[in-house]
Amino acid sequence: MDFSFSADQRLFQEAVRDLLDKECPPDAVRDAWESDGPGRSESRWAQLADMGVLGLTTPEAFGGLGMDELDLVLLLEEAGRFCLPEPLVETVAVAAPLLADLSAGNGGAAASEWLPKIAAGDGVVTVGFERDVYVSEGATAELLLLERDGELHAVPWADAAVASQRSVDRARRIARVEWSPTPDTLLASGHEAAVALAAAFDRGVLGVSAMLLGVTQQLLDVTVEYATAREQFGQPIGGFQAVKHHLADTKLRLEFARPMVYRAAWTVAGRGGAVDARERATHVSMAKSYAAEAAAFAARTSLQVHGAIGYTFEYDLHLWMKRAWALAGQWGDAAWHRRRVAAAVL
């Protein structure tokens, strides 16, 4: 297994980092928090489309780049580092591959209509599972791919009753969605739906795990910077062992989580040959449990090192802490994924 990245993949990551460094500063994230609308920047979304990020997982036949999760994982890490408000995981990591999976069957019409829109930045599509109370981006996506009784349906936003809910991370848009399945909305059923939904769930788990790596890295970076600049008793607080040990433990947890996420991306992308669903589920669950615990530890350490200022709404730290808490619980928390791994290997 070799999931090391190519020079082109690293260059793509650096290009996205440069774009987000300019277009997604903390003030832009705050704008998304305070907005009553979709929360995403149409300008930033269009620039991501121009770079090929939005069409990365869309097949070339539908206007995309036809790349896979190993190409996407570094870009999602950057999205987490900058606390990007736009729904990359929902639309690019999950919905586009799901529509592509179904393009040869009853989902062909939906794939032909929506995949070119996703690649061009003209459509936001999200996925909702029956087990979840809320649908991420359910309040703002134009098309909802929803599970009901083992079937998969494509429901236009206008045909559903959507009630927005406030997330702890207000840059995210979640909603409770009420809808009625009809023959016209049916995309897949039976074995085809089960296989497609299982793959979509694992892609979502992988996506938020990658974003959690970026969130953890950012929390560590800003805390190290603060510990270097803040002085007590005539020296930087980073010089005290109690602070150094917490920061070193955070770095250790991040570096243990990172290869877990990259291995999961390699497996989901099928770089080793035909994808074994059980192995895929095991690898993405290991990735999520490690990434979620690293992010939670980083958030706790950051708050302790910053002290009282870390509690304030005016200080940017809370944007990343709340993103870490929200993503840690999305698509199953660490405990749920550890039980999933145990059930697969024991």
Side-chain angles (χ1 to χ4, degrees), residues 4-88:
S4 57
F5 295 100
S6 67
D8 286 344
Q9 288 168 327
R10 289 295 185 186
L11 283 172
F12 203 174
Q13 178 189 23
E14 291 173 14
V16 170
R17 182 184 301 170
D18 290 343
L19 171 69
L20 297 183
D21 186 43
K22 185 172 62 174
E23 301 294 338
C24 192
D27 285 348
V29 181
R30 288 182 180 277
D31 288 344
W33 271 60
E34 295 165 4
S35 169
D36 292 328
R40 61 178 179 270
S41 159
E42 295 301 332
S43 169
R44 196 163 50 232
W45 194 244
Q47 291 181 71
L48 289 168
D50 290 343
M51 289 187 72
V53 175
L54 303 190
L56 190 144
T57 55
T58 294
E60 292 182 77
F62 295 100
L65 298 181
M67 300 168 83
D68 62 26
E69 286 75 11
L70 199 59
D71 300 304
L72 180 63
V73 68
L74 294 176
L75 312 188
L76 294 175
E77 196 173 333
E78 294 305 317
R81 181 195 297 267
F82 289 93
C83 221
L84 185 74
E86 283 71 34
L88 278 190

Side-chain angles (χ1 to χ4, degrees), residues 1 9 14 22 65 90-91 94 182 204 245 267 278 290 295:
M1 178 184 293
Q9 288 168 327
E14 291 173 14
K22 185 172 62 174
L65 298 181
E90 291 81 358
T91 299
V94 185
T182 70
H245 287 177
T267 303
R278 183 170 177 169
Y290 273 84

